[in-house]
Amino acid sequence: MEKRLLLYLFIGCTLVANLEEFVAAKVRHYKFDVEYIYWSPDCEERMMIGINGRFPGPTIRAKAGDTIVVELKNSLPTEGVVIHWHGIKQLGTPWADGTASISQCAVNPDETFVYRFQVDKAGTYFYHGHYGMQRAAGLYGSLIVDKADGEEEPFHYDGELSLLLSDWWHESVHAQMLGLTSIPFRWVGEPQAILVNGRGQYNCSLAAHLTGETSSCKITNNQCAPVVLQVHPKKTYRLRIASTTSLSALNLAIGNHNMTVVEADGNYVEPVTVNDTDIYSGESYSVIIKTDQNSSLNHWISIGIRGRLPKTQNALAILNYHPNSPSKLPSYKPPVTPQWNDYTHSKEFTYKILARQGTQAPPANSDRQIALLNTQNKIDGYIKWSINNVSLVLPSTPYLGSMRFNLKNAFDTEKPPENFSEDYDVMRPPINPNSTEGSSVYKLKFNSTIDVVLQNTNALTGNVSEIHPWHLHGHDFWVLGHGDGKFRKNDVSKFNLRNPPLRNTVVIFPYGWTAIRFVANNPGAWAFHCHIEPHLHMGMGIILAEGVELISKIPNEALACGITGQVLMNNKRH
């Protein structure tokens, strides 16, 4: 009798535990209506892409383990749309990654597509358009995943703040794309404004009365009103920062306040205290700040451009100490952004970001090394970016569907180049600037460990090498190391295998290299590309695929285009 009672108690406790877990994990529903709107993000009205009539898009907030369901309606009159959930691995749902021609078909005008996926890990993320250059047109928003109930962060804070950073042009993305694919080539130029939570000011400064640099801003529209973060003195705050810029590398500083970096791309890092934070397109951070400064003042948050000669006014926001008025401007000059080409400063910050103790270490060895040479080239007179002399063009049939059903002629089937010439001089423009286009796939053995060396070079113009932040879909990776100049075989001995940070986006510095390692354990077809919007549009990316044969079912709606669309139609007829 006693044993039976104990068995009943055990079963009961197990059922309660499972029920609690079931109740804790929720399904969170959102409806997104993507449409063109008139908006004034920098006090100048322009047409842009909004969601549900607003910009930026709604903030999605969930807890680890929750399922997110987004019913996306495309109300754009003449173009398709998809949304990529940046930093979410899409384990078991590769078709929900939101990459046109890779994981799914673009959603046509007046059609609806339902994204359904689980968020498996707490962190700071965001979402954005991944068709054409729609991210640059305003299609983005924040996605924040909290710890599951009963779990705690490894750091304490009293409150939370968020900053979503972006850049903004007055010229439409359609005109920008035309210029990038024209002869003569027309570059997009520098942005008219840096936006903070979708707000900025064009051709004026909130601090003009202190600096005398430009005219003072006269804000008459709440859509471009300064962002104000309200805090109480003597408290500790978590500040989430994410960058969805189309082009700009940024630096953020808070007047009179240090920041302690504790999270990068949804992964905990060893706490490191800094005066300012570099953040590249596609990256996200959490920093801890203490409101221990003069509480009779408000304080500046200043964001400036790095890596390019800045022609854009620094963005300014306000850290508002209670009970000061939110409209009370700080009485001192804003922090000065480091010189745009002070790469020593940038490298020092980047190299400080290391994995928090207890983070999973990388495998000791890799099964395969792929070296990717980033070059600027020409194809029939058009300026392109190429990887190992191949400029990426996407097929009309999504890779995921064509590979899952072994369709022929859907994309280039030849094996893409995995290395580049040992005598290539990365310090000079290419001797032979001619390149080719291609849509081939790097096929990875499932569960194998892959090293990728990203090598930066000189562009077509002499003495020009740019910053490139690279983002990998479907995975986190360990950043094993960075180096100046050309990567050599003996540089492998310098790899950090003890505490490399886990990231989903990593920077390659001018004339330098970056090495990463990841495990190919997520069935799907995944983009790996420069997160600078014009660079990807010009071909700077590759496609990786692993375990596609293990995917059991792909929703028909994700495949209703190209050859897979024809297959689906034929199946219906029969």
Side-chain angles (χ1 to χ4, degrees):
M1 181 69 181
E2 185 178 346
K3 289 183 178 179
R4 187 179 298 176
L5 179 60
L6 289 172
L7 179 62
Y8 288 156
L9 287 172
F10 172 77
I11 294 172
C13 290
T14 302
L15 288 172
V16 169
N18 290 341
L19 180 61
E20 287 177 350
E21 185 178 345
F22 175 77
V23 171
K26 295 182 179 179
V27 179
R28 301 181 185 269
H29 293 267
Y30 295 85
K31 286 191 174 184
F32 280 13
D33 189 356
V34 176
E35 58 190 336
Y36 281 116
I37 60 174
Y38 284 111
W39 206 260
S40 303
D42 64 352
C43 300
E44 297 272 334
E45 187 178 75
R46 290 291 188 276
M47 185 180 80
M48 63 188 312
I49 298 179
I51 299 176
N52 301 341
R54 301 190 61 80
F55 164 77
T59 294
I60 291 178
R61 189 133 201 169
K63 294 182 179 179
D66 286 352
T67 295
I68 292 175
V69 179
V70 178
E71 184 180 315
L72 173 73
K73 181 185 178 184
N74 181 8
S75 293
L76 302 177
T78 59
E79 59 190 297
V81 70
V82 295
I83 291 184
H84 168 56
W85 316 96
H86 187 106
I88 305 302
K89 295 190 186 70
Q90 300 296 345
L91 297 167
T93 52
W95 52 84
D97 190 47
T99 47
S101 294
I102 303 170
S103 65
Q104 70 169 111
C105 303
V107 183
N108 290 324
D110 294 325
E111 291 185 351
T112 298
F113 183 85
V114 177
Y115 291 98
R116 185 183 184 96
F117 56 90
Q118 188 179 53
V119 287
D120 65 308
K121 187 174 62 173
T124 304
Y125 309 104
F126 56 97
Y127 61 86
H128 59 80
H130 215 292
Y131 179 72
M133 287 175 54
Q134 290 178 344
R135 171 160 53 99
L139 183 52
Y140 50 81
S142 293
L143 197 169
I144 295 172
V145 181
D146 295 305
K147 278 283 192 183
D149 290 337
E151 298 184 9
E152 294 183 358
E153 304 281 2
F155 41 83
H156 165 77
Y157 52 96
D158 302 304
E160 184 179 305
L161 311 163
S162 289
L163 295 176
L164 182 63
L165 309 179
S166 54
D167 41 15
W168 178 244
W169 282 257
H170 290 170
E171 185 177 57
S172 75
V173 293
H174 301 99
Q176 291 182 42
M177 289 191 294
L178 176 61
L180 295 172
T181 54
S182 294
I183 299 177
F185 177 76
R186 300 186 186 187
W187 177 238
V188 299
E190 302 307 308
Q192 273 64 65
I194 300 299
L195 304 183
V196 182
N197 293 348
R199 301 181 189 180
Q201 296 80 40
Y202 168 62
N203 205 27
C204 68
S205 172
L206 299 173
H209 63 293
L210 298 170
T211 63
E213 296 175 16
T214 59
S215 60
S216 296
C217 298
K218 297 178 181 178
I219 310 298
T220 59
N221 189 329
N222 190 55
Q223 293 174 359
C224 60
V227 169
V228 177
L229 302 183
Q230 297 181 324
V231 295
H232 287 262
K234 309 301 180 185
K235 298 289 184 181
T236 299
Y237 289 88
R238 177 185 192 165
L239 174 59
R240 297 181 185 266
I241 311 166
S243 174
T244 185
T245 54
S246 175
L247 172 66
S248 308
L250 301 174
N251 178 273
L252 182 145
I254 305 174
N256 301 324
H257 293 70
N258 290 330
M259 296 173 281
T260 300
V261 183
V262 293
E263 178 220 343
D265 295 352
N267 296 286
Y268 298 126
V269 299
E270 273 300 301
V272 56
T273 300
V274 294
N275 295 320
D276 55 75
T277 302
D278 274 352
I279 182 166
Y280 302 97
S281 178
E283 292 186 329
S284 65
Y285 290 101
S286 283
V287 300
I288 298 296
I289 62 172
K290 295 183 180 297
T291 51
D292 54 4
Q293 298 303 305
N294 187 342
S295 60
S296 67
L297 301 176
N298 289 334
H299 297 270
W300 292 113
I301 301 172
S302 179
I303 301 104
I305 289 178
R306 306 281 285 119
R308 306 183 67 85
L309 181 62
K311 300 176 183 177
T312 308
Q313 188 74 31
N314 276 25
L316 295 173
I318 297 170
L319 191 67
N320 171 217
Y321 270 62
H322 181 81
N324 299 327
S325 167
S327 61
K328 180 182 179 181
L329 295 178
S331 57
Y332 60 89
K333 291 182 179 180
V336 177
T337 301
Q339 284 294 313
W340 70 273
N341 57 355
D342 184 357
Y343 295 117
T344 299
H345 184 94
S346 299
K347 293 173 185 177
E348 286 176 352
F349 172 79
T350 298
Y351 299 167
K352 288 178 182 176
I353 306 301
L354 299 170
R356 191 180 183 94
Q357 188 173 0
T359 301
Q360 180 184 3
N365 298 289
S366 66
D367 301 305
R368 181 177 174 186
Q369 184 188 88
I370 300 172
L372 303 178
L373 183 75
N374 295 249
T375 56
Q376 198 177 56
N377 301 86
K378 287 189 175 183
I379 299 177
D380 298 329
Y382 295 92
I383 295 179
K384 299 287 185 180
W385 285 100
S386 298
I387 306 302
N388 292 350
N389 211 41
V390 179
S391 185
L392 178 65
V393 290
L394 296 175
S396 57
T397 302
Y399 289 97
L400 187 65
S402 58
M403 295 185 71
R404 177 64 184 83
F405 298 114
N406 296 312
L407 301 180
K408 297 181 179 179
N409 304 318
F411 59 88
D412 296 338
T413 55
E414 68 270 17
K415 187 178 179 181
E418 298 197 8
N419 214 320
F420 54 91
S421 172
E422 289 188 6
D423 60 1
Y424 190 96
D425 189 348
V426 302
M427 306 302 293
R428 298 176 182 272
I431 296 174
N432 178 7
N434 294 316
S435 182
T436 58
E437 292 182 330
S439 60
S440 53
V441 176
Y442 289 83
K443 295 180 180 179
L444 311 177
K445 182 180 178 182
F446 189 64
N447 270 335
S448 63
T449 299
I450 308 298
D451 281 0
V452 179
V453 177
L454 295 158
Q455 176 69 63
N456 211 342
T457 65
N458 200 105
L460 286 172
T461 303
N463 300 316
V464 174
S465 185
E466 300 186 30
I467 283 176
H468 298 293
W470 272 66
H471 171 58
L472 176 58
H473 294 229
H475 307 75
D476 282 345
F477 51 73
W478 292 274
V479 183
L480 301 184
H482 304 263
D484 297 325
K486 189 175 180 180
F487 179 82
R488 305 290 182 184
K489 289 181 179 179
N490 61 1
D491 286 324
V492 173
S493 63
K494 304 174 188 176
F495 284 175
N496 174 17
L497 300 179
R498 185 173 62 87
N499 59 351
L502 266 174
R503 305 294 299 260
N504 62 56
T505 303
V506 69
V507 62
I508 324 172
F509 290 109
Y511 299 111
W513 58 265
T514 296
I516 67 170
R517 178 170 293 176
F518 69 95
V519 179
N521 56 4
N522 190 7
W526 308 105
F528 184 34
H529 61 90
C530 179
H531 209 258
I532 292 175
E533 195 86 305
H535 290 182
L536 174 58
H537 185 70
M538 295 165 65
M540 198 173 195
I542 64 171
I543 305 300
L544 304 168
E546 73 234 30
V548 175
E549 69 281 0
L550 302 175
I551 300 169
S552 58
K553 181 174 173 54
I554 302 173
N556 288 347
E557 313 87 76
L559 304 177
C561 62
I563 301 174
T564 50
Q566 297 171 19
V567 171
L568 290 173
M569 289 297 294
N570 290 334
N571 289 341
K572 282 184 178 181
R573 293 191 189 103
H574 295 92

